Amino acid sequence: MSQDLDFRPAGAAAPRARQVWSHARTEASLILRNGEQSILSLVIPVGVLVAGRWFSDLLGQDFAVTAVSVLGLAIWSSTFTSLSIATGFERRYNVLERLAATPLGRTGILVGKATGTALITSGQLAVLALIAVALGWHPTPDLGHLVVAALAAVLAAVSFAGCGLALAGTAKPEATLAVANLVHLAGMAGGALLLPVARYPEALQPLIAALPTAALGEALRTGTSWSLLVLLPWALGALALSRKVFRWMS
């Protein structure tokens, strides 16, 4: 019994979903292999967790508060700082320009990049949560708190990513590297990610509370729904800004 075999090359592009998923896996693997991004996204948050566990008196807050705050720090690190720096250097070396010329296209690049970043961020959150539990964290949130925290995490990630892409798509990569790291530190120290808004000077609290970092931190710590009202316009505005100013070629 014979069977005809067709050895002709398949000239058509792969299905769209497969293209995007392949690009997402590539993005995720590049993030994992980048030492600087790993330090920002995992090593620093783990260090804060350990410090919060053993030096909670110096921080002036319970370890439970520090644990959930560190989850917000991981989202901030991955979706703003790491994303902007990586994208800035991809523009420098014309990686984005060349990928845009493939069947993947610009939309596929963005969706794949977003999916890869989401995969890495989800993994980081899972690892940090397990480490926090091992250090003595006993989370007991109710359903409403979980829903608000999850929605806030998504909106915050969109806000941070939009701002990061706007920066990476307009500045030189060296400037993106410097500004992204400075903003990252500013968000940690003054953006109410690690400390509640109430811990800051009273005169500055309204301004700090309007920041997306503060809204994410408060949503994770207390489940307050006002955080969503702060984050929604930030997410929409950041997306609109990045679409307006992002340039694919340096």
Side-chain angles (χ1 to χ4, degrees), residues 64-82:
V65 176
T66 301
V68 293
S69 300
V70 165
L71 300 182
L73 175 60
I75 296 173
W76 169 240
S77 301
S78 296
T79 58
F80 173 75
T81 313
S82 296

Side-chain angles (χ1 to χ4, degrees), residues 42 46 49 71 121-133:
L42 194 59
V46 169
L49 273 178
L71 300 182
T121 304
S122 299
Q124 290 166 346
L125 293 178
V127 170
L128 290 171
L130 290 175
I131 293 174
V133 169

Side-chain angles (χ1 to χ4, degrees), residues 13 26 43 62 69 74 99 147 150 152-153 157 159-160 164 168 170 176 213 221 223:
T26 300
V43 176
D62 293 336
S69 300
L99 284 175
V147 170
S159 304
F160 301 155
T170 55
T176 298
T213 49
R221 286 185 289 265

Side-chain angles (χ1 to χ4, degrees), residues 137-174:
W137 179 40
H138 302 288
T140 56
D142 57 28
L143 180 60
H145 189 160
L146 284 175
V147 170
V148 170
L151 291 174
V154 172
L155 290 174
V158 172
S159 304
F160 301 155
C163 293
L165 290 175
L167 173 62
T170 55
K172 293 182 178 181
E174 294 84 2

Side-chain angles (χ1 to χ4, degrees), residues 213-232:
T213 49
L216 174 61
E218 293 299 314
L220 295 175
R221 286 185 289 265
T222 66
T224 178
S225 58
W226 71 261
S227 299
L228 303 180
L229 299 178
V230 174
L231 286 168
L232 181 59

